[in-house]
Amino acid sequence: MPNKTKSKALFLDRDGVINEEIGYLHRPEDVVFLPGIFALTQTAQRLGYKLVIVTNQSGIARGLYTTTQFETLMTWMRTEFLRHEVTLDAVYHCPYHPTHGIGDFKREHEDRKPSPGMIHRAARDLNLDLSQSILIGDRCSDIAAATAAGLHQAFLIAGTEQTPCPHPHKKIASLSELETWLKLNP
Ligand SMILES: [Mg+2]
């Protein structure tokens, strides 16, 4: 039974889902939004989904950019969404990497996908019903995190992942396919 006191969420990976995957993105001028991202998030928001970004940011661990640069970029990105009447409810990022991290950033962490730590934190912070929530990612590690968290459905958008993902998911070729799914499964 759906829990009526809790919200459902659409979890979004960032790079390769919201914006084109260019590798270690950290400047607003390098952002290219994927076609359909604003229509998708507008529809999800209208259907009652909280919008939560969950993004591994090993570029911070590697010393390629700072937490402050990441946060500045996300403030800019939130403003771009607001211009399209979309409010991002939360952004979680994991700045660690177990082998390539520098100093304190070199460590395993429950937040780093494929682990579900960021999804679990969001569930606590936003009072989410994970069994009614969904995720879209572009890598198997996104799908694995969704499975580990017990989400209702995970979607893999084509373009980045080169190997088949072992955990259950639906493949989609474009963001508009997920928007259509949402309208058919409100
Ligand atoms: Mg990605």
Side-chain angles (χ1 to χ4, degrees):
M1 285 288 290
N3 185 328
K4 299 249 188 280
T5 68
K6 294 188 173 187
S7 302
K8 56 189 176 182
L10 168 58
F11 290 97
L12 304 113
D13 175 46
R14 194 192 73 183
D15 301 320
V17 171
I18 290 174
N19 51 269
E20 284 184 8
E21 171 64 282
I22 62 168
Y24 309 114
L25 171 72
H26 61 284
R27 302 189 305 180
E29 55 266 41
D30 294 332
V31 172
V32 178
F33 287 106
L34 258 63
I37 186 61
F38 297 114
L40 166 63
T41 48
Q42 285 164 358
T43 295
Q45 184 173 260
R46 181 168 50 76
L47 293 172
Y49 287 87
K50 301 283 188 189
L51 301 174
V52 182
I53 296 178
V54 286
T55 176
N56 283 353
Q57 290 295 320
S58 79
I60 297 173
R62 294 166 194 257
L64 300 175
Y65 48 92
T66 65
T67 299
T68 300
Q69 284 174 295
F70 169 79
E71 287 173 350
T72 300
L73 172 58
M74 293 317 298
T75 298
W76 176 86
M77 199 172 270
R78 281 177 182 275
T79 304
E80 290 300 300
F81 275 91
L82 279 173
R83 288 179 51 222
H84 293 82
E85 298 177 341
V86 172
T87 300
L88 298 178
D89 292 282
V91 176
Y92 295 88
H93 77 285
C94 178
Y96 303 107
H97 193 282
T99 55
H100 297 293
I102 297 169
D104 291 345
F105 289 115
K106 182 177 179 178
R107 55 167 292 192
E108 302 277 358
H109 199 284
E110 63 187 11
D111 279 357
R112 184 169 165 79
K113 295 176 287 185
S115 294
M118 292 189 284
I119 297 174
H120 285 154
R121 280 206 283 143
R124 290 193 295 271
D125 293 346
L126 301 173
N127 196 27
L128 302 176
D129 180 357
L130 294 181
S131 72
Q132 296 295 310
S133 297
I134 62 178
L135 175 145
I136 178 168
D138 68 327
R139 294 186 188 275
C140 295
S141 54
D142 299 314
I143 305 303
T147 297
L151 300 190
H152 173 59
Q153 182 69 58
F155 296 85
L156 181 74
I157 188 164
T160 305
E161 191 57 73
Q162 300 299 316
T163 56
C165 299
H167 295 96
H169 63 279
K170 288 187 193 299
K171 285 193 185 69
I172 54 175
S174 67
L175 294 173
S176 67
E177 282 188 38
L178 175 53
E179 188 187 2
T180 300
W181 185 92
L182 287 173
K183 289 175 174 172
L184 295 172
N185 299 270

